[in-house]
Amino acid sequence: MTILFAVFLLSMLVITAVAIVRSSDLFAAVMLLGIFSLLMAANFFVLDAADVALTEAAVGAGISTVLFLGALALTAARERSRLGPPGLALVVSLVMAATVVYATFDKPALGDPNAPVHQHVAPWYLEQTPELIGIPNVVTAVLGSFRAYDTLGEVFVVFAAAIGVLFILSGDRPVSQVFRPKDAPSTRGLKHHLIPRIVGKLLIPFIFLFALYVQFHGEYGPGGGFQAGALMAAGVILYALLVGEGRALEALPEPLLKGMVAGGALLYLLVGVVCMLLGGNFLDYSVLAADAVFGQQLGIILIEAGVGIAVTGVLLCIFHAFAARDSGI
Amino acid sequence: MSLALDIGSWLLFGIGSLVLFIGAVGVLRMPTLYTRMHAASLTDSLGALAVLGGIMLQAGWSLAALKLLAILLFLLLTSPTSSYALANAALLNAEGGSKPDEEAAQ
């Protein structure tokens, strides 16, 4: 049954990918990308990777669609005609595809318990998580504690991405002006549309509540800072679409958003530094409290909060930077 | 009892699938944008109601059923709203310039 479902999802993925490439209407391509992400999320879920599925659904199908639409509002909605025949590109693609297909022949079968990836450190993580960290969700333990360096790196990649996008979108203006529309601010929103406004008002509190649930339930179920940050940003973006970006910027002003971007990443770093000051290794949370297990849990909650704050700030900064830019610069 | 629940949930699955299938056929076969949306939006709500109701019967009195109820409420609120927003955008676009009917008929 599962294999049937997986084959169906994978074939839908291929069909969607082909449709994205072949569509010259960029709006349609963006919507298809959202569908692609949703199918991918379902695929991850079939593979029992609920945390990744949640991230893919929130970021891939949700936020990136909004950001792509924001980018499309600045450019043309149709693809320009292609230059020349696709001869070389076709050859390169076919060679690459053949290489990848050839490489999969050496791949262990799906779910093979003897696969190298399941023999290396994974058994140790599974055995030691209840003992050392004491939380049910091993993914969060691996992400937040065992491999905290990697997650720190990810947070700083997100941070760097936000800085880069802000610099690029500021154009000829100083970066401090990047959220301010040049002329005729689109602060109108959907004020005159009763139904979306009322439904949005009804839903936004629950979106925030769900984001907080995902944030703080990450130790027990799928979730964590990345997913919660995306959901939180989605709630604010919905608010901005309903009442206008100006009002959303009043609620969450620009210095606060930029502070969240830097502050979230710094909070993560600071937890690591405090661990060092208390005599442990960098990001070794055991020294944070008298009880080593409680220290680990405290450290994970703190760094997840840092991740959530940083991701919310980054996504909102990018959204406002896109929204404030008028086309034709 | 469990047999009755199974029969009920499979009945709901069947109704939901049938309704969603009719909606998909409508989206493909209807001539204009508004008629296509008519096919998609109505069947979407009823199909989701039936399918999620079927899963809830399978879940029984548990936390999963409550979560499914939350998803159902969310869908029942957002699905008609997005249909409204889409139809409204098409209408405003039609007033501004090209008619949605002509575009959809391509």
Side-chain angles (χ1 to χ4, degrees), chain A residues 193-196 199 202-203 213, chain B residues 67 74 77-78 81 84 88:
Chain A
H193 298 274
L194 190 66
I195 296 173
V199 173
L202 269 175
L203 287 179
Y213 169 77
Chain B
K67 288 178 180 174
F74 182 79
L77 276 172
T78 51
T81 310
Y84 164 82
N88 198 59

Side-chain angles (χ1 to χ4, degrees), chain A residues 33-284:
Chain A
L33 266 178
I35 293 171
F36 185 86
S37 285
L38 209 59
L39 286 169
M40 204 67 211
N43 231 324
F44 285 139
F45 198 78
V46 169
L47 293 173
D48 276 344
D51 289 82
V52 191
L54 193 51
T55 314
E56 180 70 39
V59 178
I63 304 274
S64 32
T65 308
V66 173
L67 293 182
F68 274 130
L69 287 178
L72 270 189
L74 305 177
T75 57
R78 286 213 156 260
E79 199 175 5
R80 256 185 232 156
S81 56
R82 291 184 186 83
L83 305 166
L88 182 65
L90 199 65
V91 171
V92 171
S93 312
L94 283 180
V95 170
M96 293 304 287
T99 317
V100 171
V101 170
Y102 178 69
T104 56
F105 292 147
D106 273 348
K107 202 173 77 62
L110 178 65
D112 181 7
N114 295 318
V117 68
H118 297 138
Q119 293 299 319
H120 183 43
V121 285
W124 191 85
Y125 288 154
L126 288 174
E127 278 168 24
Q128 299 295 315
T129 295
E131 215 171 296
L132 292 180
I133 302 184
I135 60 174
N137 189 357
V138 182
V139 176
T140 303
V142 172
L143 181 142
S145 183
F146 294 127
R147 309 300 299 256
Y149 276 45
D150 296 0
T151 314
L152 181 68
E154 278 172 42
V155 171
F156 273 88
V157 166
V158 171
F159 173 76
I163 303 288
V165 169
L166 290 188
F167 267 109
I168 291 169
L169 286 181
S170 59
D172 48 359
R173 294 172 291 171
V175 181
S176 58
Q177 305 275 312
V178 69
F179 293 164
R180 249 159 252 156
K182 234 177 187 175
D183 47 38
S186 60
T187 48
R188 212 159 46 89
L190 290 171
K191 237 177 255 166
H192 304 293
H193 298 274
L194 190 66
I195 296 173
R197 203 183 68 204
I198 300 295
V199 173
K201 252 186 190 166
L202 269 175
L203 287 179
I204 284 171
F206 290 103
I207 294 176
F208 286 140
L209 191 66
F210 184 58
L212 289 173
Y213 169 77
V214 168
Q215 169 85 46
F216 292 109
H217 202 256
E219 283 82 28
Y220 304 99
F226 289 101
Q227 296 92 332
L231 286 167
M232 196 68 100
V236 180
I237 288 174
L238 181 58
Y239 180 72
L241 293 177
L242 290 175
V243 300
E245 289 100 41
R247 287 278 296 281
L249 269 181
E250 278 170 26
L252 286 176
E254 182 189 337
L256 178 69
L257 289 180
K258 286 180 178 165
M260 281 166 80
V261 175
L266 277 179
L267 175 62
Y268 198 138
L269 206 63
L270 210 65
V271 172
V273 173
V274 167
C275 289
M276 281 167 78
L277 290 179
L278 288 174
N281 285 324
F282 185 63
L283 291 172
D284 175 15

Side-chain angles (χ1 to χ4, degrees), chain A residues 8-25 28-40 43 79 82:
Chain A
F8 169 74
L9 281 174
L10 286 174
S11 357
M12 287 300 284
L13 267 181
V14 173
I15 294 169
T16 318
V18 171
I20 292 169
V21 173
R22 292 200 51 87
S23 160
S24 64
D25 184 347
V30 168
M31 288 302 147
L32 285 169
L33 266 178
I35 293 171
F36 185 86
S37 285
L38 209 59
L39 286 169
M40 204 67 211
N43 231 324
E79 199 175 5
R82 291 184 186 83

